[in-house]
């Protein structure tokens, strides 16, 4: 079930019932992100754009009362539905009990973020918006990899997923998601297509995992991208002169050197088997990585007490000089440029995790 951010509902001053909406005798709570699709044409369009085959196992997240579930059952081989609300689980079971679909529907009650996902070919999700980021990366971390996911997101979040270098909404979320998947916008969905209507419009997005998965250490990548997007519209040269950044990188550098001596020169190689769940940081993603700071807010390391830059700082700046990265901005860097710059830092012995 789709929904906006969790908000505390104000009690009614007249003692009237709360603003819950009903379907089949079940009340829906905005505060829990429960918003049911009521437009049958939209449901049909989502199923059609999913490209479901008759042999597909479909994972549905947040089925609610089953309006979309029925169409998914008609299109695929089997539907595995994960639903948190026990009332909705009972409604689903009642709705399809004794029908031709009963043997092809499996309902799992639980929190999808805490549930081990089964095998599936396609995921279709209409979710509470507050779990958008962690769910996206939970799906991308799933093995074996699925064919695609069709997910309803809050529109602004969806636009950040598909944003390209140079776009206003291009941010850390865009870069992290697009490293592991091809993302495309399918449909804009107005708030009036839901019961009860959420506060914001929505969008349907298609996510296709990249195969094979990129050979990048997720923790190393995440540490690197976080630094690049501290101020996405500042030059990388400015960002990597920040005192705290240089201090952290130098500490990593010295630690790694010490470890290499203990391990006879073995280095921290990339580990593609590490999971990518840590990339789904919902709090930071909703902060939208906005570059609203000024140079005055940034502690810039211009040199030591003698006016000469440290040896480590020179090592960092030397990496940035290649391809003139020092004058480039994260807001305009492509996926390939980020990957190349990270590899150059690593080759110089500079690591981010």
């Amino acid at each position: 079930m789709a929904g906006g951010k969790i908000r505390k509902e104000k009690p009614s001053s007249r003692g009237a019932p709360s603003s819950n909406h009903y379907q089949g005798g079940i009340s829906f709570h905005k505060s829990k992100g429960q918003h049911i699709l009521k437009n049958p044409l939209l449901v049909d369009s989502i199923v059609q754009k999913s490209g479901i085959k008759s042999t597909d196992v479909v994972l549905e997240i947040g089925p609610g009362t089953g309006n979309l579930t029925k169409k998914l059952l008609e299109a695929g081989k089997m539907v595995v539905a994960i639903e948190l609300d026990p009332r909705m689980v009972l409604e689903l079971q009642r709705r399809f009990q004794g029908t031709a679909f009963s043997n092809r529907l499996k309902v799992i009650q639980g929190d999808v973020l805490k549930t081990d996902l089964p095998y599936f070919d396609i995921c279709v999700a209409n979710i509470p918006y507050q779990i958008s980021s962690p769910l996206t990366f939970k799906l991308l971390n799933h093995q074996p990899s699925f064919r695609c996911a069709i997910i309803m997101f809050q529109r602004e979040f969806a636009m950040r997923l598909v944003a390209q270098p140079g776009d206003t909404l291009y941010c850390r979320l865009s870069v992290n998601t697009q490293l592991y998947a091809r993302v495309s916008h399918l449909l804009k969905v107005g708030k009036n297509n839901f019961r009860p209507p959420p506060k914001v419009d929505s969008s349907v997005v298609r996510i296709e995992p990249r195969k094979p998965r990129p050979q990048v250490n997720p923790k190393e990548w995440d540490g690197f991208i976080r630094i690049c997007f501290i101020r996405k519209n500042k030059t990388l040269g400015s960002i990597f002169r920040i005192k705290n950044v240089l201090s952290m990188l130098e500490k990593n550098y010295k630690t790694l050197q010490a470890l290499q001596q203990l391990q006879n020169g073995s280095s921290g190689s990339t580990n593609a088997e590490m999971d990518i769940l840590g990339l789904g940081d919902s709090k930071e993603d909703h902060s939208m990585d906005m570059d609203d700071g000024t140079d005055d807010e940034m502690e810039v390391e211009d040199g030591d007490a003698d006016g000469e830059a440290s040896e480590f700082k020179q090592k960092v700046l030397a990496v940035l000089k290649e391809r003139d990265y020092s004058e480039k901005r994260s807001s305009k860097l492509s996926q390939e440029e980020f990957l190349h710059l990270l590899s150059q830092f690593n080759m110089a012995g500079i690591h981010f995790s």
Side-chain angles (χ1 to χ4, degrees):
M1 293 165 292
K5 297 179 181 178
I6 297 179
R7 297 175 184 272
K8 293 183 180 180
E9 295 187 10
K10 297 180 181 179
S12 172
S13 59
R14 299 181 181 180
S18 64
S19 58
N20 300 335
H21 291 242
Y22 296 83
Q23 179 172 319
I26 296 178
S27 58
F28 301 115
H29 306 283
K30 282 187 177 183
S31 61
K32 296 180 180 179
Q34 295 182 337
H35 300 264
I36 304 301
L37 272 174
K38 66 178 183 179
N39 184 341
L41 294 178
L42 182 57
V43 171
D44 289 340
S45 181
I46 291 173
V47 174
Q48 184 268 326
K49 289 181 179 295
S50 300
I52 300 171
K53 301 176 183 177
S54 60
T55 55
D56 282 341
V57 175
V58 182
L59 175 69
E60 185 183 12
I61 301 171
T65 56
N67 293 343
L68 181 56
T69 311
K70 182 175 183 295
K71 297 293 183 180
L72 297 176
L73 285 165
E74 291 172 353
K77 176 183 179 182
M78 181 179 181
V79 173
V80 180
I82 301 179
E83 173 58 60
L84 179 62
D85 193 331
R87 302 170 308 151
M88 304 296 179
V89 172
L90 288 174
E91 177 63 21
L92 275 174
Q93 292 170 338
R94 290 194 193 103
R95 180 168 184 171
F96 296 105
Q97 186 176 18
T99 70
F101 300 129
S102 60
N103 293 330
R104 296 197 286 115
L105 173 64
K106 179 181 179 181
V107 183
I108 300 173
Q109 181 184 339
D111 182 342
V112 66
L113 297 181
K114 300 176 182 178
T115 301
D116 291 333
L117 301 181
Y119 171 86
F120 62 95
D121 299 295
I122 287 183
C123 173
V124 179
N126 181 20
I127 60 172
Y129 291 148
Q130 57 266 26
I131 69 169
S132 295
S133 183
L135 176 62
T136 297
F137 289 100
K138 181 180 177 73
L139 289 172
L140 290 176
N141 189 58
H142 181 70
Q143 294 293 320
S145 188
F146 52 95
R147 191 163 75 249
C148 73
I150 309 297
I151 308 181
M152 184 94 67
F153 290 117
Q154 179 178 339
R155 179 162 175 78
E156 188 171 8
F157 184 90
M159 292 299 97
R160 292 182 182 277
L161 287 182
V162 303
Q164 297 298 305
D167 292 350
T168 303
L169 295 179
Y170 189 62
C171 61
R172 189 165 62 86
L173 175 65
S174 319
V175 176
N176 283 340
T177 306
Q178 292 171 32
L179 175 66
Y180 292 100
R182 296 177 180 86
V183 190
S184 55
H185 183 268
L186 297 180
L187 292 168
K188 180 179 178 180
V189 183
K191 63 188 80 169
N192 292 329
N193 287 286
F194 298 94
R195 181 188 302 115
K199 298 288 186 181
V200 295
D201 289 333
S202 307
S203 280
V204 178
V205 169
R206 180 184 183 91
I207 299 174
E208 298 178 64
R210 296 188 187 276
K211 301 175 185 178
R213 184 183 289 184
Q215 298 296 301
V216 178
N217 182 317
K219 289 184 178 180
E220 183 77 3
W221 172 263
D222 189 41
F224 170 62
I225 294 299
R226 283 177 185 271
I227 288 175
C228 289
F229 279 91
I230 288 175
R231 287 283 183 263
K232 71 176 184 179
N233 289 321
K234 301 299 180 187
T235 64
L236 291 174
S238 296
I239 291 172
F240 280 90
R241 284 184 173 90
I242 298 175
K243 288 182 180 180
N244 291 343
V245 171
L246 282 171
S247 176
M248 184 271 289
L249 292 179
E250 187 168 13
K251 183 179 179 181
N252 286 354
Y253 180 72
K254 291 178 178 178
T255 301
L256 183 59
Q257 281 189 320
L259 288 174
Q260 287 174 342
Q261 290 176 1
L262 290 173
Q263 298 171 5
N264 298 320
S266 63
S267 63
S269 60
T270 58
N271 181 1
E273 299 303 317
M274 296 172 63
D275 68 53
I276 62 176
L277 294 175
L279 301 183
D281 188 337
S282 57
K283 290 183 179 179
E284 291 200 27
D285 289 334
H286 283 297
S287 73
M288 302 307 184
D289 299 300
M290 294 304 289
D291 184 356
D292 54 3
T294 65
D295 289 325
D296 292 338
E297 292 177 320
M298 304 171 69
E299 294 183 82
V300 178
E301 177 67 66
D302 288 323
D304 58 23
D306 297 324
E308 294 183 7
S310 70
E311 182 180 343
F312 180 76
K313 177 182 174 182
Q314 286 303 308
K315 180 182 279 288
V316 171
L317 296 182
V319 173
L320 291 173
K321 285 181 182 178
E322 185 177 351
R323 296 192 185 180
D324 204 26
Y325 282 119
S326 59
E327 297 303 316
K328 294 182 179 180
R329 292 166 169 76
S330 298
S331 60
K332 298 183 186 297
L333 249 59
S334 68
Q335 198 75 235
E336 292 74 18
E337 288 174 308
F338 279 121
L339 285 167
H340 178 262
L341 181 55
L342 176 59
S343 70
Q344 294 303 110
F345 272 123
N346 289 169
M347 287 175 63
I350 301 168
H351 290 265
F352 296 82
S353 63

